[in-house]
Amino acid sequence: TFFGTMYTSDDRGILFSKSLERHLFDGQRKSDFTNITSLRGVYLTNKLDDSRIRSVISFNRGGTWRQLSKPENCNLHIHGEHSRNNRIVPMLALTEPTAVGLVIAHGTVGDSLSSSQHPDVFVSSDGGYNWRGTLRGPHHYSILDSGGLVVAVEAHRDAQVKTIFSTDEGQCWKFYNFTKQPFFFAGLASEPGTKAMSVSVWGFRPEDDGQPMWVAVTIDFQSLITRETDQDYEEWLAHSSHMKGDQERNGCVLGVKETYRRLKKQSVCRNGRGFVVNKKQSPCLCTREDYLDYGYYRHKNTSECVRQSSAPNKTLEMCLSGEEDELLTAYRKVPSDRCEGGFSPQLAVQTVKLVLILVCVGAGVVVLVAVVSAVFTVKRMVYRNG
Ligand SMILES: *[C@@H]1O[C@H](CO)[C@@H](O)[C@H](O)[C@H]1NC(C)=O
Ligand SMILES: *[C@@H]1O[C@H](CO)[C@@H](O)[C@H](O)[C@H]1NC(C)=O
Ligand SMILES: *[C@@H]1O[C@H](CO)[C@@H](O)[C@H](O)[C@H]1NC(C)=O
C-alpha cells in the first residue's frame, strides 16, 4: 500500500498507541523516518496523503505531528530515504548530537513533495521549527567542528567541482576552488563525528590513456578559523520557538527545559576539538499535556483525557498478571516525561465488580478442575482529573 501506521510504546514497552497514520513505507520496506539527533524529542518523516507525499514533524517524540511551515501559506517538504532511493537527492537529512539544533536537508516548498522540481538545500538552526532555503539544487554536505562549520559541494556530474563552506549555519556561503585541475566528483568524507576541521573531496580525473585516476583532496580549515573565545557563545533555550508568550512553559518538552551554550551565528570562531555539549536542564511544572493513556484521547479544547469508544473493554486490566493490576488509568505520565509538581491527577476510589474465572491446567492434559465464578468487589483505583 506504500503506507503503514507508526506506533509508540508506553514507558514499559507493553502498550502501543497510534502515533502517525499513512506513514510512507515503500516497497523496499523502508520509511523516511528521521531522528533529529540534534534536538531532544524531534522526529521528521513523510506521509502519504491522497497519493501525495507530505512532510510532518514531531517535537514530542511522536505525540503529535504537524507540517513544516514556510511563509506564504506554503509548506516545506523534506526528501527522505524514498527520494534517495529514487536518486532525486544525493543525501538524507543531516543532524549530529554535538551540533545542537542544526538540521541540513533537501526539500521543496509547495503543496507536497515534488520529484519534478529540483530539490534545494534547507537549514534549520532550532531543531526543525524554522527553516530557510540556503542552496539551490542538490548538494553533498558535511558538518564539521561540532556545527561551527558546514561544507557543501554541488552534486552535478560536471567536471568542475567547487567547495563552499559556511561558518554561520548556511546564512552566508564562501567559495573555495580547491583544485586547478578539475575532476569528476565522487564523494565528500570527513572523520566520523563532527570534531574534525578538515574534509576530503574525492573523485576521478580521466588520464590521457583513457584510464581514470582517483584523486582525493583534503581541505583543512584549521588555519582559516582560529578564534576560540568565550564571548562568541550564547545561551539558547531549546524548543523555545513555540509557546512564545507563556514564559513558564516556554521550552518545555516532556517535562524538561534545556538551555544550551552555543556558538553565536555571526562569529567566525571555532568550537575546537575539546568542545563538549554544555546544557542545563530544569524541570517544568506538570500540566494535563504531560499525561495520557492508552485507550484515551485528548479532548481538543480542554485537554482532558477522554475514553475512546473503540478501545478494548476492561478485561485488559487482568490479562497481564491475572491480578487486579490497573493497566489503564486515563492519566498516566507520558513516557520519559520528567515534569514535577503542578497538575496531578487525583486519586478516587471507585468500586467495580470483576468476574474472575479460575482455570487450572494439569500436566499435559487440560483438565478443567473447577470453574469458580465469583463476584469480587475490588477496590479499584481510578484516576479522575482534579
Ligand atoms: C534519537 O537520537 C537520540 C540522540 O542520539 C537518541 O538518544 C534516541 O534514542 C534516538 N531515538 C530514536 C527513536 O531513534
Ligand atoms: C574559481 O574558479 C572559477 C572558474 O572555474 C573562477 O571563475 C573563479 O574566479 C575562481 N574563484 C576563486 C576564488 O579563485
Ligand atoms: C472547541 O471550541 C471551539 C471554539 O471554542 C468550538 O467551535 C468547537 O466545537 C469545540 N470542540 C469540541 C470538540 O467541543
Side-chain angles (χ1 to χ4, degrees):
T1 58
F2 282 90
F3 64 84
T5 304
M6 191 190 327
Y7 292 87
T8 52
S9 84
D10 64 356
D11 46 352
R12 299 157 300 175
I14 297 172
L15 296 173
F16 285 75
S17 314
K18 202 178 276 179
S19 171
L20 182 69
E21 288 182 324
R22 303 192 67 87
H23 186 212
L24 182 73
F25 195 72
D26 75 10
Q28 269 84 35
R29 294 168 183 266
K30 284 196 173 141
S31 81
D32 283 359
F33 182 86
T34 308
N35 183 6
I36 302 296
T37 57
S38 59
L39 195 63
R40 182 178 58 101
V42 187
Y43 302 150
L44 175 69
T45 197
N46 284 321
K47 56 187 296 199
L48 199 64
D49 275 341
D50 323 315
S51 65
R52 283 168 193 277
I53 298 172
R54 294 198 172 103
S55 293
V56 283
I57 192 162
S58 171
F59 296 105
N60 54 3
R61 290 217 169 102
T64 48
W65 295 85
R66 62 160 137 157
Q67 292 205 60
L68 282 67
S69 47
K70 280 288 289 175
E72 292 110 36
N73 293 328
C74 257
N75 289 112
L76 173 66
H77 303 276
I78 302 293
H79 291 276
E81 184 59 44
H82 184 68
S83 299
R84 191 180 59 165
N85 228 354
N86 291 300
R87 298 177 179 278
I88 297 166
V89 293
M91 273 192 77
L92 296 177
L94 186 61
T95 63
E96 290 282 353
T98 47
V100 177
L102 180 61
V103 191
I104 310 174
H106 287 100
T108 50
V109 173
D111 172 56
S112 62
L113 205 58
S114 148
S115 56
S116 54
Q117 208 178 324
H118 249 319
D120 295 321
V121 179
F122 290 81
V123 167
S124 173
S125 294
D126 57 8
Y129 286 95
N130 297 294
W131 294 83
R132 57 179 189 277
T134 185
L135 295 169
R136 292 240 164 252
H139 282 74
H140 291 263
Y141 35 74
S142 186
I143 299 173
L144 304 180
D145 188 35
S146 308
L149 185 64
V150 178
V151 175
V153 175
E154 211 175 336
H156 58 65
R157 303 238 156 235
D158 284 1
Q160 184 79 34
V161 285
K162 258 180 261 145
T163 307
I164 50 175
F165 63 94
S166 170
T167 56
D168 52 12
E169 301 192 342
Q171 290 178 29
C172 287
W173 292 91
K174 295 169 188 90
F175 285 84
Y176 181 68
N177 292 347
F178 57 87
T179 171
K180 288 205 169 59
Q181 290 162 288
F183 64 76
F184 291 92
F185 175 80
L188 195 61
S190 59
E191 178 190 302
T194 57
K195 291 215 182 293
M197 286 203 73
S198 61
V199 69
S200 297
V201 187
W202 53 286
F204 58 91
R205 190 182 284 153
E207 290 293 283
D208 295 339
D209 62 1
Q211 290 292 314
M213 184 178 72
W214 288 97
V215 188
V217 179
T218 300
I219 310 164
D220 192 348
F221 292 91
Q222 198 104 230
S223 53
L224 180 78
I225 307 159
T226 52
R227 213 173 123 96
E228 222 173 300
T229 67
D230 273 352
Q231 300 125 34
D232 290 302
Y233 288 86
E234 62 185 2
E235 300 272 298
W236 177 67
L237 175 61
H239 290 285
S240 57
S241 309
H242 74 324
M243 297 193 285
K244 283 211 176 81
D246 185 350
Q247 274 309 317
E248 188 69 36
R249 297 277 304 154
N250 196 15
C252 286
V253 166
L254 299 165
V256 190
K257 56 168 92 175
E258 290 168 326
T259 307
Y260 288 89
R261 193 166 157 268
R262 289 208 304 190
L263 211 53
K264 287 180 193 161
K265 300 273 168 302
Q266 312 87 311
S267 66
V268 183
C269 171
R270 71 173 172 207
N271 283 313
R273 279 227 169 239
F275 178 81
V276 280
V277 175
N278 178 317
K279 74 173 173 194
K280 281 190 264 169
Q281 288 191 323
S282 58
C284 299
L285 285 179
C286 298
T287 66
R288 279 212 180 89
E289 307 285 333
D290 295 300
Y291 290 84
L292 191 64
D293 205 354
Y294 175 82
Y296 290 80
Y297 68 92
R298 205 183 296 290
H299 190 280
K300 275 220 170 61
N301 291 359
T302 65
S303 71
E304 265 172 48
C305 293
V306 185
R307 184 144 186 106
Q308 266 164 15
S309 53
S310 62
N313 60 28
K314 298 271 164 46
T315 53
L316 203 57
E317 288 161 9
M318 305 198 304
C319 70
L320 270 185
S321 56
E323 292 165 17
E324 67 258 29
D325 182 24
E326 283 288 332
L327 226 50
L328 304 181
T329 55
Y331 289 91
R332 182 185 296 280
K333 224 185 219 179
V334 167
S336 70
D337 194 306
R338 285 184 282 151
C339 68
E340 291 173 8
F343 169 80
S344 95
Q346 291 211 331
L347 284 175
V349 176
Q350 201 187 57
T351 306
V352 291
K353 284 177 179 176
L354 291 180
V355 180
L356 293 187
I357 301 170
L358 306 176
V359 180
C360 295
V361 180
V365 193
V366 181
V367 186
L368 199 64
V369 176
V371 179
V372 184
S373 291
V375 180
F376 289 88
T377 306
V378 193
K379 275 190 178 168
R380 179 172 172 245
M381 309 298 272
V382 174
Y383 287 100
R384 217 175 46 195
N385 62 78

